[in-house]
PDB file of all heavy atoms in Angstrom:
ATOM      1  N   PHE Z 340     151.230-187.360 -81.363  1.00 95.00           N
ATOM      2  CA  PHE Z 340     150.838-185.942 -81.242  1.00 95.00           C
ATOM      3  C   PHE Z 340     149.361-185.765 -80.918  1.00 95.00           C
ATOM      4  O   PHE Z 340     149.005-184.868 -80.170  1.00 95.00           O
ATOM      5  CB  PHE Z 340     151.299-185.115 -82.449  1.00 95.00           C
ATOM      6  CG  PHE Z 340     150.683-185.440 -83.792  1.00 95.00           C
ATOM      7  CD1 PHE Z 340     149.344-185.210 -84.049  1.00 95.00           C
ATOM      8  CD2 PHE Z 340     151.490-185.907 -84.840  1.00 95.00           C
ATOM      9  CE1 PHE Z 340     148.804-185.463 -85.291  1.00 95.00           C
ATOM     10  CE2 PHE Z 340     150.945-186.176 -86.086  1.00 95.00           C
ATOM     11  CZ  PHE Z 340     149.598-185.960 -86.314  1.00 95.00           C
ATOM     12  N   LYS Z 341     148.503-186.655 -81.428  1.00 95.00           N
ATOM     13  CA  LYS Z 341     147.079-186.410 -81.191  1.00 95.00           C
ATOM     14  C   LYS Z 341     146.695-186.749 -79.757  1.00 95.00           C
ATOM     15  O   LYS Z 341     145.932-186.013 -79.125  1.00 95.00           O
ATOM     16  CB  LYS Z 341     146.240-187.209 -82.185  1.00 95.00           C
ATOM     17  CG  LYS Z 341     144.767-186.858 -82.222  1.00 95.00           C
ATOM     18  CD  LYS Z 341     144.485-185.376 -82.417  1.00 95.00           C
ATOM     19  CE  LYS Z 341     144.885-184.784 -83.751  1.00 95.00           C
ATOM     20  NZ  LYS Z 341     144.239-185.351 -84.906  1.00 95.00           N
ATOM     21  N   ALA Z 342     147.259-187.824 -79.220  1.00 94.00           N
ATOM     22  CA  ALA Z 342     146.956-188.144 -77.821  1.00 94.00           C
ATOM     23  C   ALA Z 342     147.452-187.019 -76.924  1.00 94.00           C
ATOM     24  O   ALA Z 342     146.762-186.591 -75.984  1.00 94.00           O
ATOM     25  CB  ALA Z 342     147.602-189.461 -77.436  1.00 94.00           C
ATOM     26  N   ALA Z 343     148.648-186.511 -77.223  1.00 95.00           N
ATOM     27  CA  ALA Z 343     149.179-185.405 -76.436  1.00 95.00           C
ATOM     28  C   ALA Z 343     148.257-184.200 -76.533  1.00 95.00           C
ATOM     29  O   ALA Z 343     147.953-183.541 -75.524  1.00 95.00           O
ATOM     30  CB  ALA Z 343     150.585-185.040 -76.931  1.00 95.00           C
ATOM     31  N   LEU Z 344     147.807-183.901 -77.735  1.00 96.00           N
ATOM     32  CA  LEU Z 344     146.932-182.735 -77.904  1.00 96.00           C
ATOM     33  C   LEU Z 344     145.631-182.894 -77.124  1.00 96.00           C
ATOM     34  O   LEU Z 344     145.153-181.952 -76.482  1.00 96.00           O
ATOM     35  CB  LEU Z 344     146.616-182.529 -79.389  1.00 96.00           C
ATOM     36  CG  LEU Z 344     147.746-181.894 -80.206  1.00 96.00           C
ATOM     37  CD1 LEU Z 344     147.404-181.885 -81.682  1.00 96.00           C
ATOM     38  CD2 LEU Z 344     148.027-180.476 -79.721  1.00 96.00           C
ATOM     39  N   PHE Z 345     145.072-184.098 -77.171  1.00 96.00           N
ATOM     40  CA  PHE Z 345     143.833-184.313 -76.420  1.00 96.00           C
ATOM     41  C   PHE Z 345     144.058-184.086 -74.931  1.00 96.00           C
ATOM     42  O   PHE Z 345     143.251-183.452 -74.247  1.00 96.00           O
ATOM     43  CB  PHE Z 345     143.290-185.727 -76.667  1.00 96.00           C
ATOM     44  CG  PHE Z 345     142.252-185.791 -77.738  1.00 96.00           C
ATOM     45  CD1 PHE Z 345     142.528-186.356 -78.967  1.00 96.00           C
ATOM     46  CD2 PHE Z 345     140.988-185.279 -77.509  1.00 96.00           C
ATOM     47  CE1 PHE Z 345     141.562-186.416 -79.962  1.00 96.00           C
ATOM     48  CE2 PHE Z 345     140.015-185.324 -78.495  1.00 96.00           C
ATOM     49  CZ  PHE Z 345     140.309-185.890 -79.726  1.00 96.00           C
ATOM     50  N   LEU Z 346     145.179-184.615 -74.435  1.00 96.00           N
ATOM     51  CA  LEU Z 346     145.421-184.468 -73.003  1.00 96.00           C
ATOM     52  C   LEU Z 346     145.653-182.996 -72.665  1.00 96.00           C
ATOM     53  O   LEU Z 346     145.209-182.514 -71.614  1.00 96.00           O
ATOM     54  CB  LEU Z 346     146.603-185.325 -72.581  1.00 96.00           C
ATOM     55  CG  LEU Z 346     146.387-186.831 -72.762  1.00 96.00           C
ATOM     56  CD1 LEU Z 346     147.534-187.624 -72.164  1.00 96.00           C
ATOM     57  CD2 LEU Z 346     145.067-187.291 -72.151  1.00 96.00           C
ATOM     58  N   CYS Z 347     146.335-182.268 -73.554  1.00 96.00           N
ATOM     59  CA  CYS Z 347     146.541-180.833 -73.316  1.00 96.00           C
ATOM     60  C   CYS Z 347     145.204-180.104 -73.304  1.00 96.00           C
ATOM     61  O   CYS Z 347     144.949-179.248 -72.445  1.00 96.00           O
ATOM     62  CB  CYS Z 347     147.447-180.228 -74.390  1.00 96.00           C
ATOM     63  SG  CYS Z 347     149.138-180.797 -74.257  1.00 96.00           S
ATOM     64  N   VAL Z 348     144.347-180.437 -74.242  1.00 95.00           N
ATOM     65  CA  VAL Z 348     143.021-179.815 -74.266  1.00 95.00           C
ATOM     66  C   VAL Z 348     142.260-180.182 -72.999  1.00 95.00           C
ATOM     67  O   VAL Z 348     141.546-179.351 -72.420  1.00 95.00           O
ATOM     68  CB  VAL Z 348     142.254-180.240 -75.535  1.00 95.00           C
ATOM     69  CG1 VAL Z 348     140.768-179.919 -75.406  1.00 95.00           C
ATOM     70  CG2 VAL Z 348     142.826-179.538 -76.748  1.00 95.00           C
ATOM     71  N   GLY Z 349     142.457-181.440 -72.556  1.00 95.00           N
ATOM     72  CA  GLY Z 349     141.854-181.841 -71.294  1.00 95.00           C
ATOM     73  C   GLY Z 349     142.327-180.947 -70.162  1.00 95.00           C
ATOM     74  O   GLY Z 349     141.536-180.519 -69.316  1.00 95.00           O
ATOM     75  N   ASN Z 350     143.626-180.634 -70.135  1.00 95.00           N
ATOM     76  CA  ASN Z 350     144.156-179.732 -69.107  1.00 95.00           C
ATOM     77  C   ASN Z 350     143.503-178.371 -69.195  1.00 95.00           C
ATOM     78  O   ASN Z 350     143.102-177.784 -68.185  1.00 95.00           O
ATOM     79  CB  ASN Z 350     145.670-179.567 -69.284  1.00 95.00           C
ATOM     80  CG  ASN Z 350     146.417-180.791 -68.775  1.00 95.00           C
ATOM     81  OD1 ASN Z 350     145.801-181.687 -68.209  1.00 95.00           O
ATOM     82  ND2 ASN Z 350     147.718-180.815 -68.987  1.00 95.00           N
ATOM     83  N   VAL Z 351     143.428-177.862 -70.415  1.00 94.00           N
ATOM     84  CA  VAL Z 351     142.841-176.527 -70.599  1.00 94.00           C
ATOM     85  C   VAL Z 351     141.405-176.520 -70.095  1.00 94.00           C
ATOM     86  O   VAL Z 351     140.992-175.648 -69.324  1.00 94.00           O
ATOM     87  CB  VAL Z 351     142.891-176.126 -72.098  1.00 94.00           C
ATOM     88  CG1 VAL Z 351     142.071-174.868 -72.346  1.00 94.00           C
ATOM     89  CG2 VAL Z 351     144.330-175.931 -72.534  1.00 94.00           C
ATOM     90  N   GLU Z 352     140.642-177.557 -70.482  1.00 93.00           N
ATOM     91  CA  GLU Z 352     139.249-177.626 -70.069  1.00 93.00           C
ATOM     92  C   GLU Z 352     139.146-177.752 -68.557  1.00 93.00           C
ATOM     93  O   GLU Z 352     138.316-177.113 -67.913  1.00 93.00           O
ATOM     94  CB  GLU Z 352     138.600-178.827 -70.752  1.00 93.00           C
ATOM     95  CG  GLU Z 352     137.133-178.967 -70.445  1.00 93.00           C
ATOM     96  CD  GLU Z 352     136.605-180.335 -70.827  1.00 93.00           C
ATOM     97  OE1 GLU Z 352     137.423-181.239 -71.086  1.00 93.00           O
ATOM     98  OE2 GLU Z 352     135.378-180.491 -70.860  1.00 93.00           O
ATOM     99  N   HIS Z 353     140.011-178.584 -68.023  1.00 92.00           N
ATOM    100  CA  HIS Z 353     139.984-178.845 -66.586  1.00 92.00           C
ATOM    101  C   HIS Z 353     140.266-177.579 -65.796  1.00 92.00           C
ATOM    102  O   HIS Z 353     139.648-177.319 -64.769  1.00 92.00           O
ATOM    103  CB  HIS Z 353     141.043-179.907 -66.284  1.00 92.00           C
ATOM    104  CG  HIS Z 353     140.809-180.662 -65.012  1.00 92.00           C
ATOM    105  ND1 HIS Z 353     141.491-180.396 -63.857  1.00 92.00           N
ATOM    106  CD2 HIS Z 353     139.957-181.674 -64.725  1.00 92.00           C
ATOM    107  CE1 HIS Z 353     141.073-181.212 -62.908  1.00 92.00           C
ATOM    108  NE2 HIS Z 353     140.139-182.007 -63.406  1.00 92.00           N
TER     109      HIS Z 353
END
Side-chain angles (χ1 to χ4, degrees):
Chain Z
F340 65 67
K341 191 53 66 61
L344 283 173
F345 264 108
L346 296 187
C347 290
V348 165
N350 283 355
V351 170
E352 183 195 13
H353 202 258

